[in-house]
Amino acid sequence: MEIIDGKLPKDFAKEFGTKNDFHSYFESLYKQGIEQILQGELDAHLGYDKHTTEGYNTGNSRNGSYSKTIKSETFGDMVLKIPRDRNGEFEPQIIPKGETMSQKISDAILGMYSRGMTRSDIVEQVKTVYGISVSETTISTISDRILTDVEDWAKRILEPQYLVVWMDAVHLKVRTEGKYINNAMHVVIGLRTDGKKEVLGMWLNKTESASFWMTVLSDLKTRGVEDILIACTDNLTGFTKAIKGVFPQTVTQLCIVHQIRNSTKFVVYKDRQSFCNDMKEIYTAINEEVAVEALNKLKTKWGAKYKYAIDGWENNWENLIPFLAYPPELRRIMYTTNTIENLNRGIRKYTKTKVQFPDEKSVRKSVYLAIKNCEKSWTGVIAHWGMVMNQFLVIFEDRCRIKY
């Protein structure tokens, strides 16, 4: 067959009676091409062409071939003849040793796994799309390859300063000592001095506690974090003390949304709308003084009926009102942990089909891949970055490391 200007002869397709004949022809052509490339690689390794005298007394020579089944995205399962040398030193590049699947299929399997598909669903999808059979064990082996990436990511050196960090835990069932129990995956998002967000790490523990959060913060410090300007958290007991124990200068802000939820759970349904309207006057106040007045009014009106709802505000007041000292753009960033809760929803989205994880290795793989999927949308700086940047530079003049 002669190809002219990159085009097949006009009547070439007439040589084939069916679509399968056409496919088989090109499969044979592809196979021959790969095997010839392999022979060329062996020639380069040995330093001489087959049947030439340059190979005499070189100390190494060809030693036949062995069959290897390769899973191809174009032609499915394909048996290739892989040449070998007598000394066993030849390392094929186009079909590496130990590899039985094209990189494209491996990437596709990893992509499906990262989006929460079960191993059995992936087996079926690969069979449908590529016409090849893979086992669930193979899928586990492919997904295990990212464990090195997970370890490198978890130990990477971080920025010396983060303007804001958001901290929260997502709870997932993991097989522990023969039982499936809730484990807390602690996650931290940081706002860098260039206005972009990144996930700083993930830490798995059986429970969420202030003492373990201190371990997380200590790990951040070990990995290069010298300063955090603002930390946003839920109202877990002792959380603020844990932060101050590692980063004493950090401004700590409890999530206002969490406080609202905690307060309204004590309020009966018929009073909830009126109570929430009065409570709103606290966190929308123009400053702390006005917020205190709003809290006193709330207590006067509802304190006798809903004491515990008011107590939550009073007991946590010092860590609830820091955001009121800042301009509106900065308030929107720090008054709630919605930033990390959105990430946690993304993690649950990609892991929802994996109701239970068989071990810690499995949950780390899945959460890491879910985080990477979520981070793909974090391409730009946060909203109103120009204004926010200026506010940080003015308010934290002596500490802020933004370069401008």
Side-chain angles (χ1 to χ4, degrees):
M1 176 182 63
E2 183 180 3
I3 300 177
I4 302 175
D5 295 331
K7 297 181 180 180
L8 294 170
K10 184 176 181 181
D11 296 329
F12 171 71
K14 294 181 179 179
E15 299 180 18
F16 307 101
T18 65
K19 178 182 176 181
N20 287 338
D21 292 340
F22 185 82
H23 187 274
S24 296
Y25 173 81
F26 278 98
E27 180 179 357
S28 174
L29 198 64
Y30 178 81
K31 178 179 177 180
Q32 290 178 45
I34 294 295
E35 290 178 344
Q36 287 181 17
I37 292 173
L38 286 166
Q39 290 292 343
E41 288 185 354
L42 181 58
D43 289 345
H45 171 74
L46 295 174
Y48 62 90
D49 294 336
K50 193 174 184 179
H51 303 308
T52 60
T53 57
E54 287 88 340
Y56 295 167
N57 302 317
T58 59
N60 199 4
S61 61
R62 288 167 176 76
N63 188 30
S65 62
Y66 62 93
S67 296
K68 183 176 183 178
T69 301
I70 301 297
K71 297 183 183 299
S72 159
E73 67 271 14
T74 305
F75 299 109
D77 289 340
M78 177 181 295
V79 180
L80 296 175
K81 290 183 178 179
I82 311 296
R84 56 191 172 195
D85 63 330
R86 194 164 297 280
N87 292 346
E89 299 169 347
F90 176 50
E91 297 280 351
Q93 299 301 306
I94 191 170
I95 307 290
K97 283 186 176 180
E99 296 292 336
T100 60
M101 185 178 299
S102 75
Q103 189 61 47
K104 184 175 180 179
I105 295 177
S106 294
D107 291 344
I109 288 173
L110 195 56
M112 287 184 275
Y113 184 89
S114 74
R115 284 163 176 76
M117 289 182 65
T118 63
R119 287 180 295 182
S120 58
D121 286 341
I122 295 173
V123 168
E124 184 177 345
Q125 186 72 4
V126 170
K127 180 68 174 177
T128 300
V129 175
Y130 299 110
I132 60 176
S133 298
V134 295
S135 67
E136 293 187 16
T137 301
T138 298
I139 293 168
S140 291
T141 301
I142 291 172
S143 64
D144 280 350
R145 293 175 186 171
I146 68 161
L147 288 172
T148 300
D149 294 337
V150 175
E151 291 300 315
D152 291 342
W153 176 79
K155 295 177 182 177
R156 75 193 190 282
I157 299 300
L158 299 172
E159 300 282 329
Q161 184 180 73
Y162 288 90
L163 305 179
V164 184
V165 296
W166 297 270
M167 299 184 282
D168 198 10
V170 58
H171 296 271
L172 303 163
K173 287 189 179 296
V174 183
R175 187 175 177 84
T176 307
E177 297 176 356
K179 297 180 180 179
Y180 284 99
I181 61 174
N182 274 327
N183 278 231
M185 181 65 81
H186 300 65
V187 184
V188 179
I189 298 175
L191 177 63
R192 303 194 310 238
T193 54
D194 62 359
K196 295 183 178 181
K197 298 179 297 182
E198 69 169 316
V199 179
L200 307 188
M202 59 181 186
W203 298 261
L204 189 65
N205 195 48
K206 291 181 180 179
T207 58
E208 182 184 9
S209 65
S211 60
F212 189 78
W213 274 116
M214 182 173 280
T215 300
V216 169
L217 291 159
S218 298
D219 182 58
L220 295 180
K221 199 164 190 175
T222 302
R223 290 165 56 200
V225 180
E226 299 171 5
D227 190 22
I228 295 171
L229 300 186
I230 300 171
C232 305
T233 71
D234 60 21
N235 59 357
L236 177 72
T237 302
F239 210 152
T240 298
K241 289 183 179 179
I243 296 169
K244 295 291 188 180
V246 183
F247 296 100
Q249 288 186 289
T250 299
V251 175
T252 55
Q253 173 67 52
L254 295 186
C255 177
I256 296 297
V257 174
H258 277 80
Q259 183 58 50
I260 294 169
R261 291 173 187 162
N262 290 338
S263 295
T264 53
K265 72 182 181 182
F266 295 105
V267 181
V268 298
Y269 181 77
K270 68 182 182 66
D271 292 335
R272 192 165 295 170
Q273 186 61 56
S274 179
F275 183 91
C276 286
N277 289 338
D278 294 335
M279 185 168 54
K280 186 177 180 180
E281 298 298 319
I282 301 174
Y283 57 86
T284 58
I286 59 173
N287 55 41
E288 183 181 353
E289 183 180 352
V290 175
V292 170
E293 292 176 3
L295 177 61
N296 290 333
K297 288 179 182 178
L298 186 73
K299 185 175 182 179
T300 300
K301 182 176 179 179
W302 298 102
K305 193 173 185 179
Y306 299 120
K307 178 182 182 300
Y308 292 106
I310 309 299
D311 285 349
W313 285 94
E314 291 185 328
N315 295 338
N316 296 305
W317 186 252
E318 288 186 3
N319 295 309
L320 286 169
I321 50 92
F323 80 107
L324 293 175
Y326 301 102
E329 292 79 13
L330 200 47
R331 288 188 186 190
R332 281 194 286 269
I333 294 174
M334 62 185 292
Y335 88 101
T336 177
T337 55
N338 277 352
T339 298
I340 198 161
E341 288 183 5
N342 288 337
L343 174 65
N344 288 345
R345 278 193 288 272
I347 291 172
R348 291 189 184 96
K349 171 187 173 183
Y350 290 116
T351 60
K352 63 183 179 182
T353 56
K354 300 177 178 69
V355 180
Q356 299 172 331
F357 293 90
D359 50 41
E360 288 190 9
K361 180 180 72 173
S362 177
V363 73
R364 290 182 190 279
K365 286 190 300 184
S366 294
V367 173
Y368 170 78
L369 290 169
I371 287 171
K372 287 302 170 184
N373 282 331
C374 293
E375 280 188 323
K376 289 176 183 177
S377 63
W378 300 356
T379 54
V381 298
I382 61 170
H384 311 294
W385 169 240
M387 183 70 73
V388 170
M389 176 180 64
N390 279 281
Q391 291 169 2
F392 272 111
L393 286 168
V394 172
I395 296 169
F396 298 94
E397 181 180 5
D398 296 335
R399 291 167 56 200
C400 188
R401 304 187 187 185
I402 293 176
K403 295 179 181 179
Y404 57 96

